[in-house]
Amino acid sequence: MDWILFGPPGCGKGTQAERLSGGMNLYHFSTGEVLRENVKNGTELGQKADAIMKSGALVPDDVIIDMVSAKLSEDAVKATTGVLFDGFPRTIPQAEALESALTALGRELGGVLSLTVAEEELIDRLSKRGRADDTLDTIKNRLQVYEDQTAPLIGFYKERGQLFEVEGMGTMEEIEGRLREVIAKRQG
Ligand code: ADP
């Protein structure tokens, strides 16, 4: 069973994805991490993505969708209980592409774990992180891009009965516990 960890930049998706995937034989797949690896290694994809990421905009859907399709066909992924998507999907076309890909591969989406965090807290966390794309202008742009292009996914998944809202404020242990509870209930 696959899961999507969802929420605005700075909500703690990456941190929680690491914690969850460890104990559960889930494959943690962060599109942002794969992109950063590509930038670091100077690949063609990395060269294309670098400036986009520094501005806080989204990398084009077709590029991301190709990346995800390639990942889903890897043996390492097939050997796990499921994939934990972190930072994907981020647009409606990405969500639609994922839905078709999972159906075609006979995979089941357990649900979307949506972490809710107050906006002041997000800005505070992001400005303390110190990543190359964490300057104040970029942070503001990323939050705006989230509102415009990514937040509509909440309705998309709610309509399908696949959205699970999880309070993203509290200690890392508390939040992890809440997420595990939702997964355990669905996975049985
Ligand atoms: P954050 O933790 O701040 O949400 P990520 O590591 O998920 O950041 O992503 C960093 C950047 O990589 C994004 O701002 C965007 O430019 C690019 N990116 C990552 N995932 C996607 C995606 N699914 N679609 C488009 N762009 C993406």
Side-chain angles (χ1 to χ4, degrees), residues 6-185:
F6 182 84
C11 73
K13 293 188 295 283
T15 310
Q16 291 298 335
E18 294 265 312
R19 300 175 73 103
L20 290 173
S21 56
M24 303 186 110
N25 193 29
L26 285 173
Y27 184 96
H28 176 197
F29 178 38
S30 158
T31 43
E33 271 306 314
V34 174
L35 291 169
R36 279 188 289 280
E37 275 292 303
N38 276 277
V39 170
K40 200 173 84 193
N41 298 328
T43 67
E44 208 182 311
L45 168 62
Q47 287 173 23
K48 217 164 145 184
D50 193 20
I52 300 175
M53 291 170 76
K54 286 205 178 99
S55 76
L58 296 182
V59 173
D61 285 336
D62 57 337
V63 174
I64 299 288
I65 292 166
D66 284 351
M67 217 169 92
V68 174
S69 304
K71 181 56 79 178
L72 288 174
S73 67
E74 283 179 12
D75 289 339
V77 168
K78 290 185 180 152
T80 59
T81 315
V83 177
L84 181 59
F85 293 98
D86 161 13
F88 173 86
R90 256 180 160 93
T91 64
I92 296 278
Q94 289 182 20
E96 288 169 344
L98 177 65
E99 197 167 54
S100 325
L102 294 181
T103 305
L105 292 165
R107 304 181 69 96
E108 190 191 355
L109 184 66
V112 178
L113 306 160
S114 174
L115 286 172
T116 54
V117 175
E119 173 147 348
E120 311 82 69
E121 171 81 10
L122 294 175
I123 296 175
D124 192 53
R125 290 188 194 174
L126 289 167
S127 46
K128 282 180 183 146
R129 203 159 65 169
R131 214 167 68 190
D133 59 346
D134 282 339
T135 64
L136 194 57
D137 278 348
T138 308
I139 290 170
K140 289 201 171 134
N141 195 24
R142 292 225 304 281
L143 291 170
Q144 191 61 48
V145 165
Y146 170 81
E147 281 306 322
D148 296 343
Q149 300 188 58
T150 307
L153 292 180
I154 294 174
F156 179 93
Y157 286 113
K158 229 179 217 170
E159 252 170 44
R160 286 161 173 73
Q162 291 175 315
L163 191 82
F164 299 91
E165 288 196 324
V166 175
E167 166 73 62
M169 308 277 278
T171 67
M172 283 195 262
E173 289 77 13
E174 281 164 351
I175 301 163
E176 183 184 353
R178 292 175 197 141
L179 291 166
R180 280 186 190 275
E181 210 174 298
V182 178
I183 295 176
K185 262 196 203 135

